[in-house]
Amino acid sequence: KRVEFVARSKTRADELVALKKAIEILSSDGVSGNASKHLPKLTQMSFLQRSSIRRSSSVNKRVFDFLQSAGTRLGSSALALAAVRAQDGPFDKVTKMIQDLILKLKSEAHDETQKNAFCNKELAENKKTREQHSEQAESLRSKSEQLSSRKAKLADRRAQLSDEIAELNAEI
């Protein structure tokens, strides 16, 4: 279980790094605050507007490629979903979705850390109880051996006294 916990923690940390990198890309000067330039509001566009959309598409593709490769490398379905949404939607929605995903991952990490701490505490208590019971069992075994030895000595002494009584009765 400890190995699984460490693996999940590493994966979660890698996912957070990938998401932060995606946010960096989305927050860069070429993208941040330029939604009006990158997203057309009219059906007719000028040559400059089309150029701006192509740049937006390249940034969007960079985000998609980065999240997709990170998701594949880490085996994370959450990052793969973020990649698909980054490809489809406007940057504000993608950024919000990534931030929500980061909060969810942090919450899961916190929950898992608490569960791990609880399990470790329970294991320590169980180990302590097991050691106490082992000590008690050993003490009882030792006492049992002492009593068995004493019983054998008393049986010998009884037999010896019985023989002496028999000799005294024979003399009388």
Side-chain angles (χ1 to χ4, degrees), residues 78-134:
L79 286 178
L81 177 63
V84 169
R85 288 193 179 161
Q87 188 177 28
D88 293 342
F91 291 121
D92 291 339
K93 287 183 182 178
V94 173
T95 302
K96 175 152 180 25
M97 191 260 323
I98 289 173
Q99 289 170 343
D100 291 345
L101 187 56
I102 288 172
L103 289 175
K104 179 183 171 195
L105 289 172
K106 285 182 179 181
S107 173
E108 287 176 1
H110 177 72
D111 292 346
E112 192 165 325
T113 300
Q114 284 184 325
K115 182 179 176 182
N116 189 36
F118 173 77
C119 289
N120 287 339
K121 177 184 165 213
E122 289 295 315
L123 286 172
E125 288 177 7
N126 288 342
K127 181 179 179 183
K128 183 178 177 183
T129 302
R130 196 171 47 251
E131 287 172 353
Q132 288 173 344
H133 289 167
S134 294

Side-chain angles (χ1 to χ4, degrees), residues 153-172:
K153 286 179 185 178
L154 289 175
D156 287 344
R157 178 74 175 137
R158 189 179 111 201
Q160 183 184 19
L161 290 175
S162 291
D163 289 344
E164 288 178 13
I165 290 175
E167 284 179 22
L168 287 175
N169 281 340
E171 287 180 13
I172 301 186

Side-chain angles (χ1 to χ4, degrees), residues 3-22:
V3 172
E4 292 172 7
F5 172 74
V6 170
R8 284 191 306 270
S9 295
K10 182 177 179 348
T11 300
R12 189 170 296 108
D14 291 343
E15 288 174 338
L16 287 172
V17 168
L19 290 171
K20 286 178 183 177
K21 178 68 175 169

Side-chain angles (χ1 to χ4, degrees), residues 7-59:
R8 284 191 306 270
S9 295
K10 182 177 179 348
T11 300
R12 189 170 296 108
D14 291 343
E15 288 174 338
L16 287 172
V17 168
L19 290 171
K20 286 178 183 177
K21 178 68 175 169
I23 287 175
E24 281 178 29
I25 292 170
L26 291 173
S27 300
S28 67
D29 291 338
V31 178
S32 182
N34 293 323
S36 61
K37 285 194 255 177
H38 297 295
L39 301 173
K41 293 183 180 181
L42 302 171
T43 56
Q44 295 182 345
M45 296 177 279
S46 70
F47 176 73
L48 292 174
Q49 287 174 321
R50 290 181 191 186
S51 168
S52 180
I53 290 171
R54 275 190 227 110
R55 278 184 297 184
S56 172
S57 295
S58 72
V59 171

Side-chain angles (χ1 to χ4, degrees), residues 132-146:
Q132 288 173 344
H133 289 167
S134 294
E135 288 173 6
Q136 287 175 347
E138 186 58 38
S139 172
L140 290 173
R141 265 191 232 96
S142 173
K143 190 171 186 174
S144 173
E145 289 172 3
Q146 289 174 350

